[in-house]
Amino acid sequence: MPARIGDLLRDLSGRGDELLAQLVADQIAIAADGTRLAAALARGELAASTARQRAAEIEHAGDDGRARLVQRLRRSVTSPVDREDLFRLSRSVDDVLDAVRDFIREADLFGLTALPACPPVLDALARGLAGLAEAVLRLPRDPVEAAELALRAKKQGLRTEYQHALSRLLDQPLTADVLKATLLLHRLDAAGTHLAAAADALADGVMKRFQ
């Protein structure tokens, strides 16, 4: 059977939508790997130089995962939501990983060995990514519930944790290390913004389908 016919039959059976959802979920899992790596660095469990090296490997895996999704989107006849929204979702997940990569890279450049203000923010980011992955996998079978799960995923307290961490930092004497830690916290806040954008892309795509 020619490949294009096989793709068409798979898409019409609904399996194509499930494959696309799985590819996005795989991409989210890679971003979660980067988040766990950053948390280990922030807790002082891993040297910044080692974390930076591993982050480069995770970033490469993320690029490969996004490329597989884009390639599959080009070949698919159907998709669980509009291609534009699925592409926007994938791009925002990639932006989350980029922000976490920058956090790790700059922690190494700044020479910081531990960042006690950051783990609660990273934990909230990890919860949000887990919720987003669940929403994406639910998308082909129950898009309305998937949208609800996505919107819930962006309400995991990341902005609140960021604000509390920033407040605690700025209560300390203003040293160079405090300034560096503040800049790194901003990277995590940016990751949260990208996570929210990913959740909104999924919810927007579902809303378009039911208009």
Side-chain angles (χ1 to χ4, degrees):
M1 181 184 297
R4 288 295 298 166
I5 295 177
D7 290 342
L8 176 61
L9 291 175
R10 179 168 53 193
D11 288 348
L12 293 177
S13 71
R15 286 179 294 162
D17 287 359
E18 292 179 359
L19 176 58
L20 285 170
Q22 185 61 60
L23 288 171
V24 177
D26 290 345
Q27 191 184 352
I28 296 169
I30 294 168
D33 287 342
T35 301
R36 285 189 290 270
L37 180 67
L41 164 62
R43 292 188 171 98
E45 300 167 355
L46 196 65
S49 58
T50 302
R52 184 175 179 179
Q53 182 178 0
R54 293 184 187 174
E57 298 168 358
I58 291 173
E59 180 185 16
H60 182 69
D63 290 342
D64 286 348
R66 180 159 163 73
R68 284 192 294 272
L69 173 67
V70 170
Q71 183 180 34
R72 179 61 204 168
L73 272 174
R74 288 172 179 163
R75 294 168 52 193
S76 64
V77 177
T78 65
S79 60
V81 293
D82 287 355
R83 295 165 188 269
E84 178 184 348
D85 294 310
L86 201 62
F87 185 85
R88 185 159 57 100
L89 165 58
S90 171
R91 183 183 61 205
S92 295
V93 172
D94 189 55
D95 289 340
V96 171
L97 181 57
D98 285 348
V100 172
R101 174 209 61 200
D102 288 342
F103 171 88
I104 294 171
R105 179 183 296 168
E106 290 169 8
D108 184 35
L109 291 172
F110 293 165
L112 299 177
T113 57
L115 295 155
C118 296
V121 187
L122 286 159
D123 291 343
L125 178 60
R127 291 194 299 271
L129 288 169
L132 182 63
E134 182 183 0
V136 166
L137 291 173
R138 195 69 58 90
L139 188 56
R141 293 176 282 110
D142 192 341
V144 173
E145 184 177 0
E148 293 173 357
L149 288 170
L151 294 177
R152 199 179 306 162
K154 71 176 188 177
K155 297 178 180 178
Q156 293 299 317
L158 193 150
R159 174 54 66 90
T160 300
E161 293 291 356
Y162 160 76
Q163 291 170 336
H164 288 167
L166 185 61
S167 176
R168 289 192 296 269
L169 270 177
L170 296 181
D171 280 341
Q172 301 176 29
L174 196 58
T175 64
D177 281 353
V178 168
L179 287 174
K180 292 174 183 178
T182 300
L183 291 173
L184 292 174
L185 270 177
H186 286 316
R187 291 295 186 191
L188 301 184
D189 187 43
T193 299
H194 297 313
L195 172 64
D200 287 341
L202 190 155
D204 291 349
V206 171
M207 184 175 293
K208 288 178 186 177
R209 282 287 169 99
F210 285 88
Q211 283 180 343

